[in-house]
Amino acid sequence: AREMDQALRTLNDTSEESRRRAQEFASSIQAVSVHGDEAVLRLQALGVNMGKLTGEQLERATKAALGLSRAFKMDASAAMRLVARAAQGQTQTLARYGIVLDANLTPQQKFNQLLLVGEKHFTEMTTGVKTFGEEMTMLKNQIDDVFENLGGILTGIGKDESGYKWIRGLTSGFTDLNDKLNAFITLK
């Protein structure tokens, strides 16, 4: 989140709306893919810094980068660098990765074509059958978010009695969950 805040500041955008939109978008990507929201925010920051991308174009570029990374077996950051360079008219290095765009197009048209290619792969990635490993990564990301929220709550405890009561309720909930997990394990 810090990188995204810094990137937005380079564009003189310090609005809460932009921060909220970036966070909501990152969370929406996490919900359908193996990419955690913090990683998505870092990709968005890269898109802002390198490609001067904002708003819907940044969201499309992020999806395209994630789709390209999976389809062409490259790091997501490397894919975002390619997309951001294409946004600036630099598409020459795409061919090295097997990404061929129509040579007769203008730089803007090539960028739009790259977005369409990447978004197609993103859609395939998020709607296709996920492997066990991908499902486990998605679960891990969700658990990480729970612990982030829990950390936020714990830092506020001590301000009033409600925090202590909430923790007691959470503890009994974990005890119940552990009992259910043990019962499941013995069924196998």
Side-chain angles (χ1 to χ4, degrees), residues 44-174:
Q44 288 180 290
L46 188 58
V48 170
N49 288 330
M50 286 188 67
K52 306 300 180 222
L53 300 165
T54 60
E56 183 181 337
Q57 194 174 47
L58 176 61
E59 292 172 0
R60 290 188 65 205
T62 303
K63 286 181 178 181
L66 293 171
L68 292 170
S69 73
R70 180 152 186 214
F72 294 94
K73 296 177 181 31
M74 68 177 82
D75 177 72
S77 294
M80 179 54 96
R81 282 191 292 277
L82 290 174
V83 172
R85 285 184 187 124
Q88 299 298 309
Q90 301 170 21
T91 57
Q92 306 85 339
T93 57
L94 294 172
R96 265 192 253 163
Y97 295 91
I99 303 168
V100 180
L101 302 176
D102 186 339
N104 297 317
L105 299 177
T106 67
Q108 182 62 50
Q109 290 170 324
K110 287 180 182 180
F111 175 64
N112 291 338
Q113 186 181 27
L114 180 63
L115 290 180
L116 290 173
V117 169
E119 288 172 320
K120 176 180 171 269
H121 290 297
F122 178 82
T123 300
E124 291 168 359
M125 173 181 76
T126 58
T127 58
V129 175
K130 296 191 177 19
T131 66
F132 178 74
E134 289 170 332
E135 290 289 349
M136 293 306 293
T137 300
M138 291 174 74
L139 177 61
K140 178 204 163 292
N141 289 339
Q142 292 169 351
I143 291 170
D144 286 348
D145 280 351
V146 168
F147 280 107
E148 284 177 23
N149 290 331
L150 182 58
I153 291 168
L154 292 176
T155 58
I157 288 183
K159 295 179 181 169
D160 62 28
E161 190 65 26
S162 66
Y164 294 112
K165 291 178 183 174
W166 187 85
I167 289 294
R168 278 188 229 112
L170 182 66
T171 302
S172 69
F174 275 119

